């Protein structure tokens, strides 16, 4: 346990209903136990009723669902239709359940997603006035076939975009263009719906809503709902005797710590949700927890973990044979995993069991981070930094949803950012959450959606304003490439292929690679081409819907990865080598004795090998060579330089400049997610003592997506805070010479050599004008 923080309770504010809410709705909500609205809910409802776009950005369990249900269902009662967009199927199913419970006679709600049968889709098209879907279905089905939905579009009054903080980076940029296509289709049928966005707390939510929808939006951020006290613990697993690259110590995996803590909490009758980073980790944590509970039942004795002292007294042991969670022998059956990839019926069954208390422990990916109603939780475990403060508070807020006191524990992974946070709690508590980063103007995103829009309805010059200032230039390139044809009235899609296939909204572009089971020919799924080099290379461990496969061959020319079922006790991490050249510096400013730049770069990356690490311990098992072609990426980067007058004296003192810059690069990649809504796998870096384009010691951090995703630009804007935190993360790590918690990177193509921890501290101190840095 590194730090414990108590988030104070928030008292309730009196309730009321707006005068215009239909009495039938008031009565039905009262029957469900809702007697009125909080102040922020009323504010949202009144803005929507007045025809204004609005984003509500308040904490978990603040009643955002009711904020949009009241005006949305009211519009249905007045004869309109509502489109509800969600990033996950689970959330759509949960919303449908809520609407079914409310059940006003005029409401005809239906989901329209990958789980919807042909018959249900046909019914929804003919009858639904409250349609629950996702950006993928809107992109591939609803908009291209807009004529089949003409009656729905004509009466569309409200578009609800729920949990919109998930629409960031390249995915968010795609969704932004899909929403512009939606606005254009609505205009074709004479409707101008109000956009109502719901988000976890975010910095500058109004500006984000405007970038996402292209329309000005009011923001509501003052949370007036009641809340109990949350005890928040930061937990750092210990270093083990195992050694990794360069003899660096290996920290105990966060998933193993999570399984032990989950077992202890379930034993005490504490209903707990454990968030992990991957589908496989969810299964692993659930299995390990059940095994530990079986061991406890066998010996009827257990060690008491420190976390139980902070569990608020929830649950109590009742002797050797029973606990606060029931009989020890029954407890293994009270733990399960929940993740994407399960059948819809299985997901719904798990949700019901967890709500009812039949299950006490659930290990999940972020599939349950969003607004699925899992009220009544006592504790949340978060295995590794979830990527943003917004996600952290969203996940922690799953506990205490009925207003009771709660426990949340962030368990650090072997990662620079996690290490920094557990040693700098001030970076979490009392700090505003991040701004949500996206770039709808990215030509690699905009181009495919202009083609899709032209296929839906031919583009005219009047449409250019809808798609942004870059649209004219991008259109010219599409015409030159033969994808669109220019006529006097506008631009037309003339090909037989589906224009929507050009945009892989959850990938990074390129033709997808098919993942095929070699022995049966069964198609398991697809991977976007850029990701294929790192996820389905020969020898990679590939997980699909709970099944584990080993990749036998990756044929890039044929677009196929052949896999076979396997049960390896290790995971794989691809490593690449990178070269970078500067195309254009768009902005620059002094930074200490050096210079900071933001601009366009060309990156050449080649995956050269992959690491094998034991799943349970993180122990390094080997480094296998690969022979894959290089890939070229034009993107955006932030970089800093130091002049020879500064670095030459450091070299004369014996400082390893290359190792110091390399270590600083790794650590800064690890810390950027604290300041930009990205994952370290969304970005890359290069460092050199003397870069050919600058002639100086230079450290680059770049967006790992064509055209950029906005992350490097955010790093440029927050450079001083970002690099200061980078230095503090290195300094606070307890290792002697560098480890995965500070300066080592799992994707370094140079085998994490050379790295100089002390040199990185010195170099960053000079850059930040902190004196000698000794």
């Amino acid at each position: 346990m590194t730090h414990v923080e108590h988030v104070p309770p928030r008292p309730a504010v009196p309730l009321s209903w707006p005068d215009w809410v239909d009495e039938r709705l008031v009565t039905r909500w009262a029957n469900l136990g809702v007697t009125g609205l909080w102040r922020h809910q009323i504010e949202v409802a009144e803005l929507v009723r007045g025809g204004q776009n609005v984003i509500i950005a308040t904490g978990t369990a603040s009643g955002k669902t009711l904020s949009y249900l009241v005006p949305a269902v009211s519009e249905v009662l007045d004869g309109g239709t509502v489109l509800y967009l969600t990033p996950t199927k689970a959330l759509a199913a949960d919303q449908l359940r809520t609407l079914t419970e409310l059940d006003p006679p005029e409401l005809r709600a239906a989901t329209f997603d990958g789980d919807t049968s042909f018959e249900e889709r046909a019914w929804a098209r003919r009858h639904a006035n409250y349609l629950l879907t996702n950006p993928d279905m809107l992109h591939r089905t609803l908009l291209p076939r807009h004529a089949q939905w003409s009656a729905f579009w004509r009466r569309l009054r409200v578009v609800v975009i729920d949990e919109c903080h998930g629409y960031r980076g390249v995915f968010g940029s795609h969704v932004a263009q899909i929403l512009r296509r939606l606005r254009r289709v609505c205009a074709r049928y004479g409707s101008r719906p109000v956009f109502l966005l719901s988000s976890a707390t975010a910095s500058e939510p109004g500006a984000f809503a405007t970038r996402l929808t292209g329309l000005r939006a009011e923001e509501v951020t003052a949370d007036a709902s009641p809340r109990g006290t949350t005890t928040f613990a930061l937990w750092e697993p210990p270093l083990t005797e195992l050694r990794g690259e360069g003899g660096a110590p290996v920290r105990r995996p966060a998933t193993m710590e999570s399984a032990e803590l989950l077992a202890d909490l379930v034993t005490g009758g504490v209903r707990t949700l454990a968030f992990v980073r991957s589908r496989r980790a969810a299964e692993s944590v659930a299995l390990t927890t059940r095994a530990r509970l079986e061991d406890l039942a066998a010996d009827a004795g257990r060690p008491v973990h420190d976390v139980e002292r902070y569990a608020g007294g929830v649950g109590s042991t009742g002797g050797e044979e029973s606990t606060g969670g029931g009989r020890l022998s029954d407890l293994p059956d009270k733990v399960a995993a929940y993740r994407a990839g399960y059948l819809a019926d299985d997901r719904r069954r798990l949700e019901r069991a967890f709500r009812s208390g039949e299950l006490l422990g659930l290990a999940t990916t972020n599939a349950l981070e969003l607004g699925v109603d899992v009220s009544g939780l006592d504790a949340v475990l978060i295995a590794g930094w979830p990527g943003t403060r917004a996600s952290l508070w969203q996940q922690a807020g799953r506990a205490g949803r009925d207003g009771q006191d709660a426990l949340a524990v962030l368990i650090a992974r072997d990662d620079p950012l996690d290490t920094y946070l557990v040693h700098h709690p001030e970076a979490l508590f009392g700090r505003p959450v991040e701004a949500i980063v996206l770039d709808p103007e990215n030509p690699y995103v905009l181009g495919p959606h202009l083609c899709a829009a032209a296929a839906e309805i031919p583009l005219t010059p009047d449409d250019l304003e809808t798609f942004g200032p870059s649209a004219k230039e991008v259109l010219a390139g599409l015409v030159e490439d033969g994808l669109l044809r220019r006529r006097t009235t506008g631009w037309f899609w003339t090909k037989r292929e589906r224009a929507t296939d050009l945009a892989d909204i959850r990938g990074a572009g390129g033709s997808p690679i098919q993942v095929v089971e070699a022995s049966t020919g069964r198609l398991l799924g697809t991977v976007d081409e850029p990701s294929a080099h790192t996820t389905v290379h020969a020898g990679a461990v590939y997980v699909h819907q709970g099944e584990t496969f080993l990749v036998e061959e990756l044929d890039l020319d044929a677009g196929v990865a052949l896999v076979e079922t396997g049960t390896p006790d290790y995971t794989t991490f691809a490593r690449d080598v990178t070269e970078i050249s500067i195309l254009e510096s768009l902005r620059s400013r002094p930074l200490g004795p050096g210079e900071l730049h933001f601009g366009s770069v060309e990156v050449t990356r080649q995956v050269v090998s992959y690491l094998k690490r034991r799943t349970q311990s993180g122990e390094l098992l080997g480094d296998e060579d690969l022979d894959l072609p290089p890939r070229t990426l034009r993107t955006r980067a932030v970089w800093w330089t130091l002049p020879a007058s500064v670095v030459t004296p450091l070299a004369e003192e014996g400082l390893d400049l290359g190792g110091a810059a390399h270590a600083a690069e790794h650590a800064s990649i690890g810390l950027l997610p604290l300041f930009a809504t990205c994952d370290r796998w969304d970005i890359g870096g290069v460092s050199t003592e003397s870069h050919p384009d600058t002639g100086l010691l230079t450290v680059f951090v770049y967006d790992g997506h064509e055209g950029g995703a906005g992350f490097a630009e955010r790093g440029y804007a927050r450079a001083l805070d970002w690099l200061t935190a980078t230095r503090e993360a290195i300094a606070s790590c307890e290792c002697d010479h560098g480890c995965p918690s500070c300066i080592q990177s799992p994707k370094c193509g140079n085998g994490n050599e050379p790295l100089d921890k002390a040199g990185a501290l010195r170099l960053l101190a000079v850059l930040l004008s902190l004196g000698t840095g000794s």
Side-chain angles (χ1 to χ4, degrees):
M1 189 80 68
T2 303
H3 180 81
V4 175
E5 187 89 9
H6 297 285
V7 181
R10 182 172 54 231
V13 177
L15 303 171
S16 62
W17 286 99
D19 295 338
W20 49 264
V21 178
D22 193 294
E23 284 297 326
R24 293 171 295 173
L25 290 181
V26 173
T27 300
R28 289 179 181 275
W29 263 307
N31 292 337
L32 296 174
V34 180
T35 57
L37 301 180
W38 306 111
R39 179 166 38 81
H40 62 282
Q41 295 171 327
I42 294 174
E43 186 178 353
V44 171
E46 294 286 6
L47 286 167
V48 174
R49 191 70 172 178
Q52 296 187 62
N53 305 303
V54 61
I55 178 170
I56 176 170
T58 54
T60 310
S62 59
K64 291 192 288 291
T65 299
L66 207 56
S67 298
Y68 56 73
L69 276 180
V70 169
V73 175
S74 295
E75 292 293 351
V76 169
L77 297 187
D78 288 342
T81 61
V82 172
L83 180 67
Y84 171 91
L85 291 176
T86 169
T88 69
K89 297 174 186 176
L91 188 50
D94 190 69
Q95 289 298 303
L96 183 61
R97 181 181 60 82
T98 300
L99 290 166
T100 302
E101 289 176 352
L102 185 63
D103 195 31
E106 296 88 343
L107 183 70
R108 299 184 300 277
T111 55
F112 194 87
D113 57 33
D115 291 339
T116 309
S117 67
F118 176 80
E119 293 77 11
E120 291 170 326
R121 292 188 184 196
W123 185 93
R125 190 166 53 248
R126 291 192 299 268
H127 303 295
N129 54 17
Y130 200 116
L131 189 69
L132 303 103
T133 187
N134 52 55
D136 311 76
M137 297 300 290
L138 189 60
H139 166 61
R140 291 194 166 274
T141 303
L142 294 170
L143 293 179
R145 300 173 185 171
H146 59 84
Q148 299 176 9
W149 294 82
S150 58
F152 183 86
W153 303 128
R154 195 170 290 115
R155 296 182 292 126
L156 186 60
R157 305 275 185 84
V158 177
V159 177
V160 178
I161 306 174
D162 203 2
E163 305 292 353
C164 64
H165 55 276
Y167 301 134
R168 60 180 188 259
V170 172
F171 177 45
S173 302
H174 278 293
V175 173
Q177 292 300 342
I178 292 170
L179 294 177
R180 284 155 176 78
R181 287 164 50 201
L182 169 64
R183 288 169 47 205
R184 189 165 165 268
V185 165
C186 289
R188 170 70 174 265
Y189 295 98
S191 65
R192 293 186 61 186
V194 170
F195 285 79
L196 198 173
L197 295 84
S198 169
S199 171
T201 50
S203 176
E204 304 170 355
F208 162 67
T210 297
R211 296 193 73 169
L212 187 66
T213 64
L215 300 169
R216 184 179 178 277
E218 300 293 327
E219 60 182 48
V220 175
T221 58
D223 189 344
S225 63
R227 182 187 66 195
T229 298
T230 299
T231 299
F232 207 120
L234 304 181
W235 189 286
E236 185 174 38
L239 293 172
T240 68
E241 297 300 319
L242 297 173
R243 290 294 179 265
E245 289 181 272
V250 175
R251 200 172 292 280
R252 192 162 190 258
T255 49
M256 293 300 295
E257 286 292 280
S258 299
E260 287 208 2
L261 296 178
L262 181 58
D264 288 345
L265 289 165
V266 167
T267 303
V270 181
R271 199 183 307 182
T272 306
L273 194 60
F275 284 104
V276 295
R277 301 271 295 183
S278 69
R279 298 178 180 187
R280 184 173 184 180
E283 301 283 5
S284 176
V285 168
L287 287 171
T288 305
T289 301
R290 286 199 290 263
R292 177 169 168 77
L293 291 169
E294 289 168 357
D295 291 342
L296 291 175
D299 60 22
R302 64 189 182 94
V304 178
H305 241 313
D306 289 348
V307 73
E308 294 190 19
R309 297 205 303 266
Y310 301 96
V314 180
S316 58
T317 57
E320 291 186 344
E321 294 299 323
S322 65
T323 72
R327 291 181 57 85
L328 277 171
S329 57
D330 297 333
L331 291 185
D333 294 331
K334 292 181 177 289
V335 176
Y338 180 105
R339 57 167 179 76
Y342 283 175
L343 295 176
D345 289 345
D346 291 337
R347 293 198 300 269
R348 302 296 91 79
R349 178 180 56 78
L350 287 168
E351 291 162 18
R352 288 193 299 270
F354 199 48
R355 275 195 297 268
S356 69
E358 179 185 341
L359 289 175
L360 283 176
L362 203 60
T364 180
T365 60
N366 64 357
L368 280 180
E369 173 187 325
L370 305 178
V372 177
D373 182 9
V374 286
S375 58
L377 298 190
D378 304 310
V380 165
L381 305 175
I382 303 169
W385 172 247
T388 65
R389 292 188 193 91
S391 288
L392 179 76
W393 294 113
Q394 188 80 356
Q395 292 181 4
R398 293 292 98 187
R401 286 180 63 87
D402 285 339
Q404 79 271 30
D405 293 348
L407 169 71
V409 185
L410 173 63
I411 304 161
R413 289 179 302 152
D414 214 356
D415 180 90
L417 181 51
D418 292 46
T419 300
Y420 174 79
L421 291 172
V422 295
H423 289 281
H424 295 82
E426 70 279 1
L428 292 177
F429 303 106
R431 290 283 186 93
V433 297
E434 308 86 349
I436 305 171
V437 176
L438 71 158
D439 181 16
E441 298 290 310
N442 182 335
Y444 296 94
V445 171
L446 177 56
H449 288 286
L450 287 174
C451 290
E456 289 153 7
I457 306 167
L459 287 163
T460 68
D462 292 340
D463 292 322
L464 298 187
E465 184 178 351
T466 299
F467 291 98
S470 301
K472 187 174 183 179
E473 181 181 349
V474 173
L475 277 171
L478 295 172
V479 171
E480 185 178 336
D481 293 341
L483 292 171
L484 294 181
R485 185 170 296 170
R486 179 73 194 269
R487 293 284 186 254
T488 55
T489 55
W491 294 264
F492 292 76
W493 175 258
T494 59
K495 295 185 174 295
R496 291 185 176 182
E497 296 85 0
R498 285 169 49 96
T500 51
D501 290 341
L502 295 175
D504 179 10
I505 72 171
R506 293 183 188 264
S511 300
I513 301 295
Q514 295 184 321
V515 183
V516 177
E517 189 173 23
S519 58
T520 65
R522 177 169 59 123
L523 177 64
L524 300 177
T526 61
V527 177
D528 59 87
E529 193 272 338
S531 299
H533 291 237
T534 57
T535 58
V536 289
H537 57 76
V541 175
Y542 177 77
V543 181
H544 175 75
Q545 295 191 2
E547 292 184 82
T548 303
F549 299 86
L550 286 170
V551 180
E552 294 186 340
E553 179 185 358
L554 171 60
D555 188 333
L556 292 170
D557 293 331
V560 173
L562 298 176
V563 304
E564 280 295 359
T565 302
T567 55
D569 64 346
Y570 59 84
T571 55
T572 53
F573 301 89
R575 314 176 70 151
D576 58 48
V577 293
T578 307
E579 295 181 356
I580 192 167
S581 59
I582 298 171
L583 301 178
E584 182 183 13
S585 176
L586 299 173
R587 295 197 287 278
S588 65
R589 67 175 189 265
L591 181 62
E595 273 197 336
L596 182 74
H597 293 260
F598 168 72
S600 300
V601 297
E602 185 172 86
V603 180
T604 302
R605 299 174 59 197
Q606 183 174 17
V607 174
V608 294
S609 68
Y610 65 96
L611 294 181
K612 296 163 68 173
R613 289 190 183 276
R614 197 175 299 282
T615 305
Q616 297 296 326
S617 66
E619 178 186 2
L620 179 64
L621 300 178
D623 187 355
E624 305 288 339
D625 291 338
L626 290 170
D627 181 19
L628 287 167
R631 299 190 74 259
T632 300
L633 175 75
R634 289 202 170 198
T635 186
R636 299 291 177 86
V638 55
W639 65 93
W640 52 267
T641 62
L642 281 174
S645 60
V646 170
V647 299
T648 299
L650 296 177
E652 290 173 349
E653 294 174 20
L655 189 97
D656 177 2
L657 291 177
H662 194 195
E665 171 219 324
H666 282 183
S668 62
I669 289 171
L671 266 291
L672 184 56
L674 189 61
F675 301 92
T677 46
C678 65
D679 187 276
R680 71 177 298 159
W681 298 93
D682 292 324
I683 51 182
V686 176
S687 57
T688 175
E689 285 186 56
S690 179
H691 190 271
D693 293 336
T694 65
L696 303 170
L697 183 146
T698 310
V699 174
F700 296 86
V701 175
Y702 62 87
D703 291 347
H705 301 276
E706 284 285 352
F711 306 136
E713 186 172 15
R714 190 70 181 172
Y716 178 84
R718 298 289 307 278
L720 187 59
D721 293 337
W722 165 41
L723 295 172
T724 299
T726 297
R727 187 180 185 280
E728 290 174 355
I730 299 171
S732 63
C733 185
E734 62 193 287
C735 73
D736 294 327
H737 303 293
C739 70
S741 291
C742 56
I743 62 172
Q744 286 192 351
S745 169
K747 55 180 184 172
C748 177
N750 295 321
N752 283 298
E753 291 290 344
L755 289 176
D756 186 340
K757 178 177 178 177
L761 290 171
R762 188 78 183 278
L763 202 63
L764 288 167
V766 170
L767 178 69
L768 298 167
S769 301
L770 299 177
T772 64
S774 58

